[in-house]
PDB file of all heavy atoms in Angstrom:
ATOM      1  N   LEU K  65      21.891   0.700 -19.115  1.00 96.00           N
ATOM      2  CA  LEU K  65      23.048   1.552 -18.818  1.00 96.00           C
ATOM      3  C   LEU K  65      24.274   1.069 -19.589  1.00 96.00           C
ATOM      4  O   LEU K  65      25.047   1.872 -20.127  1.00 96.00           O
ATOM      5  CB  LEU K  65      23.335   1.550 -17.320  1.00 96.00           C
ATOM      6  CG  LEU K  65      22.309   2.258 -16.440  1.00 96.00           C
ATOM      7  CD1 LEU K  65      22.562   1.927 -14.970  1.00 96.00           C
ATOM      8  CD2 LEU K  65      22.355   3.773 -16.646  1.00 96.00           C
ATOM      9  N   TYR K  66      24.465  -0.242 -19.662  1.00 95.00           N
ATOM     10  CA  TYR K  66      25.586  -0.802 -20.397  1.00 95.00           C
ATOM     11  C   TYR K  66      25.510  -0.429 -21.873  1.00 95.00           C
ATOM     12  O   TYR K  66      26.492   0.015 -22.480  1.00 95.00           O
ATOM     13  CB  TYR K  66      25.600  -2.322 -20.234  1.00 95.00           C
ATOM     14  CG  TYR K  66      26.602  -3.019 -21.125  1.00 95.00           C
ATOM     15  CD1 TYR K  66      27.948  -3.051 -20.805  1.00 95.00           C
ATOM     16  CD2 TYR K  66      26.178  -3.638 -22.309  1.00 95.00           C
ATOM     17  CE1 TYR K  66      28.863  -3.681 -21.632  1.00 95.00           C
ATOM     18  CE2 TYR K  66      27.079  -4.262 -23.142  1.00 95.00           C
ATOM     19  CZ  TYR K  66      28.430  -4.290 -22.799  1.00 95.00           C
ATOM     20  OH  TYR K  66      29.335  -4.898 -23.634  1.00 95.00           O
ATOM     21  N   GLU K  67      24.333  -0.565 -22.457  1.00 96.00           N
ATOM     22  CA  GLU K  67      24.173  -0.290 -23.887  1.00 96.00           C
ATOM     23  C   GLU K  67      24.359   1.193 -24.216  1.00 96.00           C
ATOM     24  O   GLU K  67      24.726   1.531 -25.342  1.00 96.00           O
ATOM     25  CB  GLU K  67      22.800  -0.774 -24.355  1.00 96.00           C
ATOM     26  CG  GLU K  67      22.664  -2.282 -24.329  1.00 96.00           C
ATOM     27  CD  GLU K  67      21.393  -2.800 -24.970  1.00 96.00           C
ATOM     28  OE1 GLU K  67      20.508  -1.986 -25.300  1.00 96.00           O
ATOM     29  OE2 GLU K  67      21.278  -4.034 -25.134  1.00 96.00           O
ATOM     30  N   ASP K  68      24.105   2.056 -23.240  1.00 97.00           N
ATOM     31  CA  ASP K  68      24.264   3.494 -23.455  1.00 97.00           C
ATOM     32  C   ASP K  68      25.594   4.021 -22.918  1.00 97.00           C
ATOM     33  O   ASP K  68      25.792   5.241 -22.829  1.00 97.00           O
ATOM     34  CB  ASP K  68      23.097   4.247 -22.819  1.00 97.00           C
ATOM     35  CG  ASP K  68      21.837   4.174 -23.667  1.00 97.00           C
ATOM     36  OD1 ASP K  68      21.486   3.061 -24.088  1.00 97.00           O
ATOM     37  OD2 ASP K  68      21.217   5.220 -23.922  1.00 97.00           O
ATOM     38  N   GLY K  69      26.509   3.116 -22.575  1.00 96.00           N
ATOM     39  CA  GLY K  69      27.840   3.506 -22.135  1.00 96.00           C
ATOM     40  C   GLY K  69      27.882   4.165 -20.772  1.00 96.00           C
ATOM     41  O   GLY K  69      28.815   4.913 -20.462  1.00 96.00           O
ATOM     42  N   LEU K  70      26.890   3.868 -19.919  1.00 96.00           N
ATOM     43  CA  LEU K  70      26.795   4.520 -18.615  1.00 96.00           C
ATOM     44  C   LEU K  70      27.047   3.582 -17.433  1.00 96.00           C
ATOM     45  O   LEU K  70      27.141   4.050 -16.294  1.00 96.00           O
ATOM     46  CB  LEU K  70      25.405   5.152 -18.448  1.00 96.00           C
ATOM     47  CG  LEU K  70      25.077   6.330 -19.370  1.00 96.00           C
ATOM     48  CD1 LEU K  70      23.595   6.682 -19.272  1.00 96.00           C
ATOM     49  CD2 LEU K  70      25.935   7.531 -19.003  1.00 96.00           C
ATOM     50  N   LEU K  71      27.142   2.301 -17.682  1.00 95.00           N
ATOM     51  CA  LEU K  71      27.227   1.353 -16.570  1.00 95.00           C
ATOM     52  C   LEU K  71      28.477   1.571 -15.725  1.00 95.00           C
ATOM     53  O   LEU K  71      28.429   1.496 -14.493  1.00 95.00           O
ATOM     54  CB  LEU K  71      27.185  -0.085 -17.083  1.00 95.00           C
ATOM     55  CG  LEU K  71      27.117  -1.177 -16.001  1.00 95.00           C
ATOM     56  CD1 LEU K  71      25.868  -1.012 -15.144  1.00 95.00           C
ATOM     57  CD2 LEU K  71      27.159  -2.563 -16.619  1.00 95.00           C
ATOM     58  N   ASP K  72      29.612   1.863 -16.358  1.00 94.00           N
ATOM     59  CA  ASP K  72      30.856   2.027 -15.608  1.00 94.00           C
ATOM     60  C   ASP K  72      30.828   3.237 -14.685  1.00 94.00           C
ATOM     61  O   ASP K  72      31.623   3.319 -13.743  1.00 94.00           O
ATOM     62  CB  ASP K  72      32.047   2.146 -16.565  1.00 94.00           C
ATOM     63  CG  ASP K  72      32.394   0.820 -17.222  1.00 94.00           C
ATOM     64  OD1 ASP K  72      31.947  -0.227 -16.709  1.00 94.00           O
ATOM     65  OD2 ASP K  72      33.117   0.826 -18.239  1.00 94.00           O
ATOM     66  N   SER K  73      29.929   4.180 -14.950  1.00 96.00           N
ATOM     67  CA  SER K  73      29.820   5.375 -14.104  1.00 96.00           C
ATOM     68  C   SER K  73      28.826   5.190 -12.965  1.00 96.00           C
ATOM     69  O   SER K  73      28.672   6.091 -12.134  1.00 96.00           O
ATOM     70  CB  SER K  73      29.368   6.582 -14.950  1.00 96.00           C
ATOM     71  OG  SER K  73      30.269   6.837 -16.004  1.00 96.00           O
ATOM     72  N   SER K  74      28.183   4.051 -12.914  1.00 96.00           N
ATOM     73  CA  SER K  74      27.056   3.872 -12.005  1.00 96.00           C
ATOM     74  C   SER K  74      27.349   2.907 -10.871  1.00 96.00           C
ATOM     75  O   SER K  74      28.212   2.034 -10.967  1.00 96.00           O
ATOM     76  CB  SER K  74      25.835   3.351 -12.785  1.00 96.00           C
ATOM     77  OG  SER K  74      26.053   2.014 -13.210  1.00 96.00           O
ATOM     78  N   VAL K  75      26.599   3.094  -9.778  1.00 96.00           N
ATOM     79  CA  VAL K  75      26.448   2.075  -8.751  1.00 96.00           C
ATOM     80  C   VAL K  75      24.953   1.891  -8.555  1.00 96.00           C
ATOM     81  O   VAL K  75      24.218   2.862  -8.326  1.00 96.00           O
ATOM     82  CB  VAL K  75      27.109   2.459  -7.415  1.00 96.00           C
ATOM     83  CG1 VAL K  75      26.882   1.358  -6.388  1.00 96.00           C
ATOM     84  CG2 VAL K  75      28.595   2.720  -7.595  1.00 96.00           C
ATOM     85  N   LEU K  76      24.481   0.658  -8.669  1.00 97.00           N
ATOM     86  CA  LEU K  76      23.073   0.339  -8.533  1.00 97.00           C
ATOM     87  C   LEU K  76      22.849  -0.378  -7.210  1.00 97.00           C
ATOM     88  O   LEU K  76      23.520  -1.372  -6.913  1.00 97.00           O
ATOM     89  CB  LEU K  76      22.594  -0.552  -9.684  1.00 97.00           C
ATOM     90  CG  LEU K  76      22.304   0.113 -11.035  1.00 97.00           C
ATOM     91  CD1 LEU K  76      23.596   0.614 -11.678  1.00 97.00           C
ATOM     92  CD2 LEU K  76      21.607  -0.859 -11.975  1.00 97.00           C
TER      93      LEU K  76
END
Side-chain angles (χ1 to χ4, degrees):
L65 291 168
Y66 171 79
E67 292 188 351
D68 282 48
L70 293 170
L71 186 60
D72 287 343
S73 301
S74 70
V75 179
L76 281 68

